Amino acid sequence: MTTATARRGDNRISPVFLGIAAITAVAGWAVWTDFASQPGFAVFLFVTGAWVVSLCLHEYAHARTALHSGDISIGAKGYLTLNPLKYTHALLSIVLPVIFVIMGGIGLPGGAVFIERGRIKGRWRHSLISAAGPLTNVLFAVVCTAPFWLDVLDGVPDTFRYALAFLALLQVSAAILNFLPVPGLDGYGVIEPWLSYKIRRQVEPFAPFGLLAVFAVLWLPGVNQWFFDAIDAVLGALGVHEWDTYWGQQFYRFWQGTPEIPVFTQ
C-alpha cells in the first residue's frame, strides 16, 4: 500500500534555500541596525530575499498539500526541499516575480510545481491544493504587518518599518492576484474541480495566457487604480499606512538615490 510519505532526503531543506534565508536575515539585521552605508541597498536585499523565501513557501504549500492529498510523486521531484531550482519553471516562479517587484512593486504570482492530479481523488482536495499557495501569502502578510496591527512599533527603526510595509504590500498583491478566478491562476484552480467537464475543456486552451491577460488589464489606468486601492484598503485594515508602503518602495529602489528618512506625522 502506498502512503503520502517522502524519503528523508526528499524533505531535507536545500542549501540554496538556506543561503537565501541567510542573506535575508543578514540584510534585515543591516536594515535594523542601520549598519549599511547605503540603507537602500540593504532594504533591497532584505525585501527581495524575503520575497523569494515567500515564493518558495508558496510552492512548498502546494506541494505539501498535494503530497498529503495523494500525489506521492512530489518528494522525488524535490519540491519539499524548498529549492527554487527544482521548480518546473524557475523563470515563472522566481525570476519574473523579482523583475516585476523591481519594475512596478507588484507581487507577481508564481506557480510552477507539477502535480499529478490524476493521483488525487476528491474535488475538495484539488481546491485545497490550489488555495494552499496564496493562503501562504496571506499568512506572510499577517506576519509582516503584526507590528502594525498589534501596535508594537515603538523601538522599530523607521527604515525597517518601511521595508516591512513594502514587503506586506507585495504579499497582499500576490494573494489578490492569485485568488482571481482566471485560468492559469490559483483562484481558477480552486473552482475548476466544481465546473463541468465541458467548461473545463473550453477554458483549458486559455490557461497559458491567463496571467498575461491579467497584467494587460492592469495597465489600464482605471483598473490599476482600483487594484492598488484594494491593496491599500487591506493594508489599512492591518494598520499599515500608505506612507509606510510609499517610503518602503522608495528605499527599495536604491538606484534612484537613497531618500532622507522622513518623519511620519498624523
Side-chain angles (χ1 to χ4, degrees):
M1 180 177 68
T2 58
T3 58
T5 59
R7 295 171 299 181
R8 180 176 299 178
D10 295 338
N11 288 285
R12 186 175 296 124
I13 299 178
S14 164
V16 175
F17 177 81
L18 292 176
I20 296 171
I23 292 173
T24 304
V26 171
W29 170 81
V31 175
W32 183 281
T33 61
D34 199 23
F35 177 81
S37 58
Q38 294 292 330
F41 183 65
V43 169
F44 174 82
L45 286 180
F46 172 61
V47 173
T48 302
W51 174 235
V52 173
V53 167
S54 75
L55 292 173
C56 293
L57 293 174
H58 177 114
E59 303 301 342
Y60 176 86
H62 284 309
R64 175 60 70 175
T65 308
L67 174 68
H68 291 287
S69 296
D71 184 1
I72 59 175
S73 70
I74 288 295
K77 295 184 176 97
Y79 298 154
L80 302 179
T81 66
L82 291 166
N83 185 352
L85 301 179
K86 293 293 185 179
Y87 299 148
T88 307
H89 300 292
L91 175 66
L92 294 178
S93 285
I94 300 297
V95 179
L96 282 182
V98 171
I99 290 176
F100 269 83
V101 169
I102 293 173
M103 292 177 57
I106 296 178
L108 176 73
V113 292
F114 176 69
I115 296 171
E116 298 184 19
R117 295 278 183 169
R119 295 174 177 265
I120 300 166
K121 307 300 180 183
R123 291 182 291 185
W124 281 108
R125 290 180 177 178
H126 285 281
S127 295
L128 183 58
I129 291 169
S130 295
L135 285 176
T136 303
N137 294 111
V138 172
L139 179 60
F140 213 105
V142 170
V143 172
C144 288
T145 58
F148 296 87
W149 52 265
L150 289 175
D151 196 21
V152 290
L153 287 168
D154 289 343
V156 176
D158 287 341
T159 309
F160 191 83
R161 165 181 174 162
Y162 301 142
L164 273 184
F166 182 53
L167 180 58
L169 180 148
L170 298 179
Q171 300 301 327
V172 171
S173 63
I176 292 176
L177 289 174
N178 264 295
F179 272 126
L180 291 177
V182 175
L185 299 181
D186 291 328
Y188 177 75
V190 172
I191 66 172
E192 183 182 25
W194 307 90
L195 301 176
S196 68
Y197 176 75
K198 180 179 179 180
I199 293 178
R200 295 200 304 270
R201 286 296 303 272
Q202 291 175 335
V203 171
E204 187 176 358
F206 299 99
F209 310 104
L211 184 60
L212 293 177
V214 168
F215 277 96
V217 172
L218 281 176
W219 279 104
L220 300 175
V223 176
N224 186 273
Q225 183 65 48
W226 174 88
F227 176 66
F228 279 101
D229 284 347
I231 294 173
D232 289 338
V234 173
L235 290 173
L238 293 171
V240 181
H241 197 275
E242 292 178 42
W243 171 277
D244 299 306
T245 55
Y246 170 79
W247 284 106
Q249 189 167 19
Q250 293 303 306
F251 275 99
Y252 182 81
R253 294 176 173 175
F254 70 94
W255 54 89
Q256 296 178 347
T258 302
E260 294 183 3
I261 298 179
V263 177
F264 176 70
T265 57
Q266 292 285 356

